[in-house]
Amino acid sequence: VAMRQALIVGDLVPGQVVSIRTLAEKFGTSLIPVRDALKRLVAERALEMLPNRTFCVPRMTRDRFQELLQVRLSLETMLAQRAAERIQPKTIRELEQVNDEMQNAVPADEVRSYLIANQRFHFTLYAAADSSAIFPIVESLWLQVGPFLNGVFTTAGTRSARDNHTQVLKALRRRDAVAAGEAIRHDLADAADVILARHEFVVKEESKAA
């Protein structure tokens, strides 16, 4: 769980090479559970295994980012719509608090706090959808894109980020599934526009570590 969170919020960065022993020391556990977790992350394409039995966080190509984005736009919109029909008032209040934390991180340009709060907002919302089929796929997509997003926002900062979550919250209070889905779609698309306008992708041949 700790390694998955580290990928999602960008504690591990694209191109970073790690070993089983290093991660076991970092997370304070034995080698076997770390090895098993790494194998699962390789299967989910969040990590790549290198010939020397180390692991690498993949670098991002523009084509791969765009493909991940298209799948996310579809599935996360569906989860938001489903959540709007099922969400409880206490969960909406929790989302309001998380969004406040996220917006408070913007003036100080606290990228890590911003990304952690953003992940909490989305995953709390998606959990309210109560979907055993879609949610695990979405989590896997976040594992693949998380390290790259952290790198981009560390460089670009958070001050240009738009507060689409306020529109999500308004839709949730009305139980407006269509509006909730559209607000999440705008949220993902706006972030993607910032990223695609930059030139921080690698070409396909460079995507794997040397």
Side-chain angles (χ1 to χ4, degrees), residues 6 9 20 23 68 75 86 94 140 147 168 172 174 179 194-195:
V9 301
I20 296 175
L23 290 174
L68 290 170
L75 295 184
R86 293 166 170 77
E94 181 181 351
S140 180
V168 176
L172 293 175
R174 301 194 305 269
V194 172
I195 294 163

Side-chain angles (χ1 to χ4, degrees), residues 21 25 32 35-36 38 47 55 60 68 87 100 108 115 121 129 187 197 207:
R21 187 172 300 279
E25 293 173 356
I32 293 176
R35 182 189 62 197
D36 292 342
L38 289 171
L47 292 175
F55 297 81
M60 186 66 70
L68 290 170
I87 199 164
D100 285 344
L115 291 176
F121 185 95
D187 187 41
S207 61

Side-chain angles (χ1 to χ4, degrees), residues 22-116:
T22 300
L23 290 174
E25 293 173 356
K26 176 181 176 66
F27 295 113
T29 187
S30 62
L31 298 179
I32 293 176
V34 171
R35 182 189 62 197
D36 292 342
L38 289 171
K39 287 181 178 178
R40 289 194 295 271
L41 290 169
V42 169
E44 292 184 74
R45 299 191 65 194
L47 292 175
E48 294 173 347
M49 183 180 289
L50 301 180
N52 58 358
R53 298 182 66 81
T54 57
F55 297 81
C56 176
V57 181
R59 297 183 187 277
M60 186 66 70
T61 64
R62 183 176 291 271
D63 284 348
R64 181 168 177 242
F65 178 80
Q66 289 175 322
E67 183 179 5
L68 290 170
L69 174 64
Q70 290 304 314
V71 180
R72 290 184 63 203
L73 287 171
S74 177
L75 295 184
E76 294 184 42
T77 297
M78 291 171 62
L79 282 178
Q81 292 174 337
R82 184 180 170 96
E85 296 169 347
R86 293 166 170 77
I87 199 164
Q88 298 298 313
K90 66 177 182 179
T91 306
I92 296 177
R93 289 194 295 272
E94 181 181 351
L95 289 170
E96 291 169 345
Q97 293 173 355
V98 173
N99 193 47
D100 285 344
E101 293 174 17
M102 185 175 169
Q103 299 310 315
N104 288 339
V106 172
D109 219 16
E110 297 174 353
V111 174
R112 190 172 187 278
S113 297
Y114 179 90
L115 291 176
I116 289 173

